[in-house]
Amino acid sequence: MSPWRHLQSVPRISDHTGSATAVKKVKSWYTECLSSHQLCLQASTPQLPTRVIRIEGPFKARVHTPGVERSEYACLSHRWGGQVMIRTTTLTLGQYSVQLPWDELPKTYQDAIQFAHALGFSYIWIDSLCQFPFLVICARPGFPQLTRS
């Protein structure tokens, strides 16, 4: 039986997803879900994926490799649409593990991180930043090569 069968259309809450009104409404839905939906009541705290984004503030986050850590986390998966998205590679992992370059993140990522932070999440999984490895083309004069990142 689908856990989504109880979802209903609701009137517009706010003109901005990050508004206090929107955050309050989503928090109430999430609390209701965890306290009254049978599947949610039975769920245990999940083990974090191999890589997640650790949210350290509304404008500060970093790539985190948790090991066997357990915690709830938000998730953003989206259509890339042919765009070259910022992503974690072997070349960027060290830098991104210290801090993600906030001004280089797409607005969608910034909004998702800020919204997850406002909801009280410490972690968010974003596909292009957390999936690994990506192929990276290493081009040196006379030595182009395709390598795994």
Side-chain angles (χ1 to χ4, degrees):
M1 187 173 287
S2 172
W4 311 114
R5 68 185 183 284
H6 299 291
L7 294 180
Q8 302 170 14
S9 181
V10 295
R12 179 178 287 264
I13 297 166
S14 170
D15 287 334
H16 185 268
T17 312
S19 72
T21 304
V23 169
K24 183 178 177 181
K25 186 62 174 173
V26 172
K27 276 185 179 181
S28 74
W29 287 337
Y30 187 62
T31 300
E32 179 184 346
C33 177
L34 293 177
S35 63
S36 62
H37 296 157
Q38 192 60 34
L39 289 175
C40 296
L41 287 168
Q42 296 171 356
S44 60
T45 303
Q47 182 172 335
L48 289 172
T50 304
R51 238 171 231 91
V52 290
I53 305 303
R54 169 85 172 131
I55 303 169
E56 297 179 333
F59 305 100
K60 187 174 180 186
R62 65 182 175 85
V63 173
H64 176 63
T65 306
V68 295
E69 203 172 325
R70 293 177 134 353
S71 182
E72 294 177 347
Y73 60 96
C75 186
L76 172 67
S77 185
H78 58 93
R79 185 169 180 259
W80 293 17
Q83 281 184 302
V84 176
M85 303 299 287
I86 186 171
R87 56 187 172 202
T88 304
T89 67
T90 53
L91 302 175
T92 60
L93 181 60
Q95 174 193 351
Y96 292 1
S97 294
V98 174
Q99 184 170 345
L100 287 169
W102 188 261
D103 293 337
E104 295 176 26
L105 296 177
K107 179 94 167 86
T108 303
Y109 292 14
Q110 293 176 357
D111 290 347
I113 291 167
Q114 289 172 326
F115 195 67
H117 180 263
L119 292 173
F121 287 97
S122 296
Y123 300 99
I124 185 170
W125 183 90
I126 299 176
D127 49 14
S128 71
L129 294 173
C130 298
Q131 289 176 341
F132 205 79
F134 277 103
L135 293 176
V136 176
I137 297 174
C138 297
R140 288 182 249 161
F143 193 71
Q145 146 184 5
L146 193 60
T147 61
R148 286 207 172 266
S149 63

